[in-house]
Structure formats: C-alpha cells, structure tokens
Amino acid sequence: MGRPSRWQRYIDAAVGGRKEAGHEPPAPAQRAVSRARARNGWQTELRTWLWDRHAGAPAPGRSVPGRSGAAVRRTDLRLVPAALLVWATTAAAGWLDPAALAALCSVLLASSGALLLRAAGQARRLADSPQSSGGGRTAPRSLLATAAVALLLSTVAGAHSAVASAQRDDSDIAGAVAARTAVVAELVVSGAPRRLQTPGRSGLAERWAVPATLLAINFDSRRVRAEASLLVMGGPDWEHTTPGQRIRTTGKLRPAGPGQTEAAVLSASSAPRTLQVPGTLQQGARSLREGLASAAGHFGGDARGLLPGMVTGDTSGLDPELDIAMKTVGMTHLTAVSGANCSLILGALLLGARSLRLGRVAAAVVCLAGLGMFVLMVGPDASVLRAALMGAIGLVSLAGGRAGRGLSFLCLAIIGLLLADPALSTSFGFLLSVLATLGIVVAGRPIMTWLPPAVPPWAAAGLAVPLSAQTFCGPVIVLLQPQFSSYAFAANVAAAALVAPVTLLGTAAVPLVPLAPGLAAVPLAVAAAFAAGVAGIARFFAGLPGAVLPWPEGLFGMTTMGMFSAAVLTSVWLVLHPAAVVRLAVAAHTRTVAIIARRQAGRRRRRGPHAPGRRGLAHRSGRGTLRVCKRTSGRKHEWLLPRPNAPGPLRRGPPPGAM
C-alpha cells in the first residue's frame, strides 16, 4: 500500500480517524494539525463534509450509524448538479425561442469542453508528478469531470428541447392556431383518455381530454404534414380511444393554456374515425383494464369505482363525493398509479424470485419483465414511467452489487426522463412525483432512526414515508390548491396498511379475469374489502371539523408552507429526543452566560474600576438565572420611590395648576 497523500493525512488527523499501521504521523505533525484545527475548525469540518458527500462514503474513521447501529453509506451528491442543470435547461426551453436556445446550448457545450480540458491537464500533471502515488488530487479532478458531464447532459437536453420548440413553432401550425382555424386532423392517440369534471363552452355535460400527436392537418384547401403534440377536447365518443390508435377528426385549433406543454388544443366537433387500430399489446392491455372495471362493478359501495382506480388508475367510475373526500384529506395519489404501486409490485416479484432461490441477475430479469407488463397494462403515464425507470435502475444496481443509493437512482431517473421527454420539466405531476421520492430518499431513513428501537421497522417506515413525502410536496401542493389538509398525515397513515393488499391482490386478479373469472373472484373480493376500508377512512377524516383550512396563495403561500414543513420536522425531532433537547438547552444557557460574562468583563476593563454601575443581562451566580441591570447614579434607588404604606400622615401635594 502506497503512502497516503498529504491531503488524506490531513483529513485523517483533523477528523480523528483511526491510525493505520505504518502511517502514523509524527508528534510535531499531530501538534501542527491540532493547532490548525483549533484555528480553522469550521473550515476543516466543511472540507470533511464536502469530501464525504462527493466521494459517496465517509472519510477515513468516520461512519454514520444506522437504526440498528450499523454503519450507513453517506449520501452521494455527484449526480445532483447534472439533474438540476438538465431540469433547468429543459424548463428554460419553454420560454426561449430556437435561436436563443441554440446559443444557450453552445455556451453549455463550450463550458463542458473547457472543464474537460482542465481535468485532463490536471491528470497529466499528476501523472508527471513524482508523488503521483498518493492520489491527493483525485477529488478536485473528479469534481471537474462531474461538472463537465453535467454541462454536457444539459447540452443534449437543450438540443432536444430546441428540436421540439422548432416543431411547436412551425409557421403553418402556428398560423392555424393563431387564426383558430377549422381543420381536419390526422392524429395518433398518445395517452389514455381523461374525464373532465367541468363542462366546456360546447355545453356537453361529459367531456374527455385525450393527448395525441398530430401527423397532418387540412385547412385553407391545403394539406400540411407536421408532427406536434395536441390535446383533444371531445364528447363521450372519445372515451373509448386507445393509445396507438390512428384517427381522423374535425375541429378548431386554439392556443394552449399557460403551463400546458402541447402545441395547441383541438376542440373536436366530430367523433373520431379510426384509420388504424393500435397494436395487439395495447388492445390487450385495454381489454384487461376494462375487464377489471367490469368485474369491480359487481361489488357495491365505494369499492366499485375505487378498486380500478387503485389498481390501474381508471377513475371513470369513482363516486364524485368520494373523489372530493380523497382530495380533502390528500389521498388522491392512491388513485394515480405512481411509484408506490411500482414499488409494491417490484417488492413482491423480488421476494418471490428470491424465495425460489433465483440468482441476482435472474431475479432482476424477472422483476424487470413483470414491471414492464404492469406499465403496459396501466398505460405509460409520466408518473408510471418515472417509477418504472427508478425500479429498473435500482434492480440493475442491485445486480451489480451497488444497492442503497436512492438519491443517485432518482437523479438518473430525472435525467433519463427529461432527455426522453423535455415537456416533463414543466409538469406539476412529475414535480410532485420527484419531490415525494426525494423526501422518502432524503428524510425517510433519518426519521426512522429518530424513533425508539422498540418500534418495529415496518411501523417506523409506515410513519416515516407519508411524513417525509408530505413535507416535501406541501409547498408545491399549495400552489395548485391554496388550502391545508389538517388530517392528511393521519389519513394516509391509517390507510397505509390497506393499500398493499389492494394493489397486489388486484394486480394478481387482472390476468385471471378473462381466463378464470371464478378464480379471480376470490382475490378481487378481498381487494374490494380493503378498498372499501380506504374509502371509509377518506370519508371519516373528510367529515371531521376543520378538515380543510385556507392557506395563502402564490409565492408567499409556498414559502410559509415550506417553513411550516420544516417546523413540523423540527418538532418531531424535539419530541422524540427529549434528552438531546435538555442537553441543547443547558449548552445554550452555558454559552449565553459565557458570552455575557466576557462582554461584561470587557466593559469593566474599558470603564475602569470606578464605573457608576452596569447595565444589560447579568448572571446571578449560584441561582442559574439571568437578571436585567440598569445604570444608576450609585445611590440607593429604592429610597427615591414612593412608599404609600409607610407610617405617619400622608403628605398632600399641591393640586395641579397651583403655584
């Protein structure tokens, strides 16, 4: 083993790490490091913190104890700048024209090249150095390479966004949208239909929104071939469209609303005419979803509409009153297939594969195949794709022996999804999904470690997951709905134990419905019972007084909600650590007394021994309290105060105004 570098030896000595045999620094060096640490303690701690976060592992001799006392790997932050830069670039692309976006990509590419050249120069100088075996410049060189890769990924995302922006700002399509022209459009359905709650200008009581991709339009006696994303608004005939279906319809184009990523909105004036049916897999997935909805219709109560919503995300049969109750208590995420569903499916598949004694690679293949079929069945929405990509990266990492880096997996998922679809950068659904996962990854495990060891791990996770997810998502939810759900945490904790049976049993029954309806009735009945329990919890908490409280709107509301979330986490820590709170209070009192004594000693030295008095806070020795002192003239100030209860006659003063 080579001799450690000077930087590594400095870190080892500064943080008090274990001394390796044969590399113990001499006593003068230890004294020098101790003096340097005493002078620059905060700088040493900052360097150590940056080293730990950049390297993804604690510095030598430092570890983070977990809930069971074992060492836990520190958080790896190397992919965070890349994810933030890619997200910022794709979000800015929606506000910049193609020329400005091209200039931004050029600047990013030049900056990336400059950083790569500098990192390569440092590598050559390190190789030529006679002390190159220590590796003391590895961290700065790695930081430069990480920043260069982040800028390069941002350049790729910006180039993709520029292409999408050029398609969106096509002169022919933009002119037709601005003129609100009546067109004949050929489309390919790209997403599942979504029922709208409010009627539109057309007066239709039932409206559906269908995401689609424009292939060609006919207007003003000419045909224009162009590819752009559209949002089709239609009547009940659009309910049965399927992703991948090629259709023709008529309608009027109008500009998209603020925050929408589509090039335009098409108000359909006719029913869709099928030109090409979707593929066999898509038709099969749709038949499975319809079969589950039909089978759930045999159950009464709220389970009829909630069961398909919790399994496949189909909320077409959900009771409007139950929908309002779930929005009131913050449980609408249960009817949107997201990371929780994919995590449950992956966990069940992984447990089954490992129970069959399959190898790590074989178990990963089985889980990826099952995850792909689940995504195909429910439809490739943004949240489902994010959850699926997160699960795939985690399994590949598990097969390679590098599991446990949740933040790195999340950053990889963000970068991959934004490179594939830059429009997700301005999607509130994608933002909430990322924030919920970020809260679970960053704050979930620390909250579990706060709980006493007597709490089982499953119970600790059941409390930590909803608390961390809601505290991170709260500021953004306020922007969408300026209100505060008082019982959201309690309702989600109460329903947490019922979600897993509904998801697992319902998903297992989906392929059995067309093959063996009698066999599928058993898991469906159990899942329906648990779904009815979830609905009962939502209705109960929504009916309590003060279930919804008003909250400020806009940036002020988001800021105050963020402060409230931080206060909630701080309060939870204070409640669960009473001994630490007492120690902090005693330490703060001791520190305050020391500061006051030092300041008073300095004032006495400046004034001299014959100063008339003192003022400010003073420590009462032996009593553990502070008192306020004011400067006096040196006389007994109590002698000047009136004494109404003194013996003898009262002195009557002259009346007001008397001479």
Side-chain angles (χ1 to χ4, degrees):
M1 181 182 297
R3 181 179 178 82
S5 64
R6 181 180 302 175
W7 170 257
Q8 186 63 47
R9 294 198 304 270
Y10 178 75
I11 289 293
D12 294 344
V15 302
R18 295 189 301 268
K19 302 175 183 179
E20 299 181 4
H23 299 297
E24 182 175 355
Q30 289 183 350
R31 289 194 296 268
V33 169
S34 301
R35 289 193 298 268
R37 186 184 180 186
R39 290 192 303 268
N40 303 320
W42 67 272
Q43 297 178 2
T44 302
E45 294 297 329
L46 179 61
R47 291 192 187 99
T48 306
W49 186 87
L50 290 175
W51 175 279
D52 295 344
R53 264 53 181 185
H54 174 265
R62 292 174 64 94
S63 61
V64 182
R67 196 165 186 265
S68 60
V72 178
R73 183 184 295 274
R74 287 184 179 269
T75 305
D76 190 353
L77 301 178
R78 285 176 289 183
L79 289 177
V80 174
L84 293 178
L85 280 175
V86 170
W87 201 328
T89 304
T90 51
W95 303 92
L96 301 176
D97 55 5
L101 197 53
L104 177 62
C105 292
S106 301
V107 173
L108 292 175
L109 184 60
S111 303
S112 176
L115 289 178
L116 284 176
L117 290 177
R118 185 175 179 181
Q122 286 189 358
R124 287 194 298 269
R125 289 194 298 271
L126 184 62
D128 297 337
S129 175
Q131 299 178 353
S132 59
S133 60
R137 300 290 295 175
T138 302
R141 190 172 69 252
S142 179
L143 285 173
L144 290 176
T146 302
V149 171
L151 292 173
L152 186 60
L153 290 173
S154 301
T155 304
V156 176
H160 190 183
S161 301
V163 174
S165 177
Q167 293 176 352
R168 184 174 61 249
D169 297 336
D170 185 84
S171 58
D172 295 329
I173 299 178
V177 171
R180 299 177 182 267
T181 308
V183 298
V184 178
E186 292 186 8
L187 313 167
V188 174
V189 179
S190 58
R194 179 172 53 89
R195 186 175 183 176
L196 302 179
Q197 301 295 334
T198 57
R201 300 177 182 176
S202 59
L204 295 174
E206 184 178 354
R207 292 197 310 151
W208 292 81
V210 181
T213 301
L214 177 65
L215 299 180
I217 56 174
N218 298 332
F219 68 99
D220 294 341
S221 301
R222 60 194 181 105
R223 180 179 178 86
V224 177
R225 292 185 177 274
E227 184 175 348
S229 59
L230 296 180
L231 184 64
V232 182
M233 299 290 187
D237 297 328
W238 291 84
E239 176 185 0
H240 305 289
T241 55
T242 306
Q245 180 181 4
R246 184 171 180 177
I247 58 177
R248 178 184 292 146
T249 187
T250 59
K252 286 187 177 182
L253 292 174
R254 59 183 176 87
Q260 292 182 336
T261 58
E262 292 81 9
V265 176
L266 177 63
S267 298
S269 58
S270 63
R273 179 183 175 186
T274 303
L275 301 179
Q276 183 179 354
V277 296
T280 306
L281 291 178
Q282 294 172 336
Q283 287 183 345
R286 178 181 175 180
S287 63
L288 289 177
R289 293 194 297 268
E290 292 178 349
L292 177 63
S294 177
H298 298 291
F299 302 104
D302 294 328
R304 177 183 304 175
L306 186 57
L307 179 58
M310 295 184 65
V311 176
T312 62
D314 182 10
T315 58
S316 58
L318 190 64
D319 184 23
E321 294 183 359
L322 178 59
D323 188 21
I324 295 175
M326 297 186 72
K327 289 180 180 179
T328 301
V329 295
M331 296 175 63
T332 53
H333 62 92
L334 298 179
T335 58
V337 179
S338 58
N341 301 74
C342 292
S343 300
L344 289 172
I345 298 298
L346 280 173
L349 292 175
L350 184 60
L351 181 61
R354 300 300 287 177
S355 300
L356 297 176
R357 299 185 179 276
L358 296 180
R360 182 181 295 172
V361 177
V365 171
V366 170
C367 293
L368 289 177
L371 181 62
M373 291 188 293
F374 177 74
V375 171
L376 182 63
M377 180 188 69
V378 301
D381 293 337
S383 60
V384 179
L385 288 176
R386 182 206 58 79
L389 186 57
M390 279 287 294
I393 293 175
L395 282 175
V396 171
S397 213
L398 181 62
R402 296 176 62 86
R405 295 187 174 181
L407 185 59
S408 300
F409 300 157
L410 177 61
C411 292
L412 284 176
I414 293 173
I415 294 172
L417 288 174
L418 291 177
L419 290 178
D421 186 8
L424 292 177
S425 60
T426 56
S427 171
F428 273 101
F430 179 71
L431 177 60
L432 289 173
S433 182
V434 170
L435 287 177
T437 307
L438 179 64
I440 295 172
V441 168
V442 174
R445 183 174 291 277
I447 293 176
M448 291 179 62
T449 60
W450 297 350
L451 298 174
V455 179
W458 59 268
L463 294 173
V465 168
L467 179 60
S468 57
Q470 289 189 11
T471 51
F472 275 67
C473 294
V476 178
I477 294 178
V478 167
L479 294 178
L480 299 175
Q481 293 179 334
Q483 63 184 24
F484 175 70
S485 299
S486 306
Y487 308 110
F489 175 69
N492 281 275
V493 170
L498 308 178
V499 174
V502 175
T503 303
L504 296 178
L505 295 176
T507 304
V510 168
L512 297 177
V513 170
L515 299 177
L519 186 60
V522 177
L524 280 179
V526 179
F530 282 102
V534 174
I537 291 173
R539 291 184 182 273
F540 170 75
F541 282 99
L544 295 179
V548 178
L549 301 177
W551 199 268
E553 301 180 359
L555 181 61
F556 178 74
M558 182 180 67
T559 304
T560 52
M561 180 56 73
M563 297 172 62
F564 178 74
S565 300
V568 168
L569 289 180
T570 305
S571 303
V572 171
W573 187 89
L574 293 176
V575 170
L576 296 176
H577 297 80
V581 172
V582 173
R583 289 195 300 268
L584 287 176
V586 172
H589 179 268
T590 305
R591 182 66 174 170
T592 304
V593 169
I595 293 175
I596 293 173
R598 189 163 52 249
R599 293 183 61 182
Q600 290 178 348
R603 288 174 180 172
R604 285 195 295 268
R605 286 194 301 269
R606 289 192 299 268
R607 295 175 189 167
H610 303 290
R614 58 182 180 177
R615 60 181 178 180
L617 290 174
H619 178 233
R620 307 183 70 177
S621 178
R623 300 188 181 184
T625 58
L626 302 175
R627 65 176 180 175
V628 180
C629 296
K630 298 186 296 183
R631 178 178 296 179
T632 64
S633 61
R635 296 180 297 176
K636 186 176 181 180
H637 57 277
E638 296 180 356
W639 178 80
L640 301 176
L641 298 178
R643 304 177 65 185
N645 299 324
L650 295 178
R651 294 183 180 181
R652 294 184 177 273
M659 298 299 294

